Amino acid sequence: MYSMRLARAYDSKVSAQMKKLIIFVVGVVVASSVGFGIGTSRTAPQPQISSASEKSLLEYVNEVRAANNVAPLKEDAVLDQTAKTKGDDMAARNYWEHTTPDGKPFYFIMQQARPGLQGYGENLAECFTSNPDTIEGWKKSPGHMANMINSRFNIFGSYTVWDQDRSCLITVNHFGEE
């Protein structure tokens, strides 16, 4: 494949991180040229926002919380799933809102999946290419920042999906208070 030849050609000259970036970028270009364009399945493999060396959004959110003297969040598998459900729904139905096109608020799926939660929060991000950039965007938004440092929230779920119509990644974070 083209991406492998490119990686080998620069093997002795480029750092390991740069090789990953080159392979990622070339892979996106190659994928676009071989049928991952408009009209393809939303389940086709797409670029991911993070790599094995990048910290998770939870780690970044917990750094923001620590800087604001707020206890860390813990990952919650159910909220990971509700974030996935919301992200996939936004991509499939081509909307960008906290409320679904049929009028259901973001917390509806959280209430269904995790009954008994006392509080709910949702952060959305569109077209950011890294977790640090996503966090920086949220820090500049009063509502998103408030969710990240809300001391009532103690559990967290996150999901990032490729949105074919937007041609970019969208991220959903769900916050909950047990």
Side-chain angles (χ1 to χ4, degrees), residues 5-172:
R5 281 183 289 182
L6 181 63
R8 282 191 207 112
Y10 289 100
D11 196 22
S12 63
K13 299 177 186 173
V14 181
S15 72
Q17 288 180 335
M18 186 57 98
K19 282 194 286 189
K20 287 180 186 177
L21 178 62
I22 290 169
I23 290 170
F24 171 79
V25 170
V26 171
V28 170
V29 170
V30 170
S32 296
S33 68
V34 295
F36 290 100
I38 296 172
T40 62
S41 167
R42 294 190 198 302
T43 60
Q46 298 297 339
Q48 297 299 308
I49 196 167
S50 62
S51 68
S53 63
E54 187 173 343
K55 292 187 279 188
S56 71
L57 279 171
L58 177 58
E59 291 174 285
Y60 283 109
V61 169
N62 280 336
E63 286 177 2
V64 171
R65 290 172 71 87
N68 287 276
N69 299 314
V70 180
L73 298 165
K74 61 182 178 185
E75 186 169 8
D76 184 86
V78 175
L79 292 188
D80 282 338
Q81 185 58 48
T82 63
K84 179 183 185 322
T85 299
K86 175 64 179 276
D88 288 344
D89 187 54
M90 285 193 305
R93 296 201 289 167
N94 196 26
Y95 70 96
W96 182 253
E97 298 289 334
H98 293 288
T99 302
T100 66
D102 50 344
K104 293 180 180 153
F106 74 88
Y107 53 84
F108 177 79
I109 58 174
M110 296 171 73
Q111 287 175 327
Q112 301 299 307
R114 196 83 157 62
L117 286 181
Q118 303 299 306
Y120 309 89
E122 178 177 80
N123 280 1
L124 303 176
E126 178 181 40
C127 298
F128 288 94
T129 57
S130 73
N131 287 340
D133 288 344
T134 301
I135 293 295
E136 287 306 311
W138 284 334
K139 285 168 67 175
K140 293 175 185 173
S141 164
H144 293 99
M145 182 65 175
N147 277 342
M148 288 194 297
I149 62 171
N150 185 329
S151 63
R152 291 180 28 226
F153 294 145
N154 57 1
I155 57 175
F156 175 88
S158 185
Y159 180 69
T160 299
V161 63
W162 179 258
D163 186 310
Q164 189 66 43
D165 294 328
R166 287 179 184 81
S167 296
C168 69
L169 295 164
I170 59 173
T171 298
V172 178

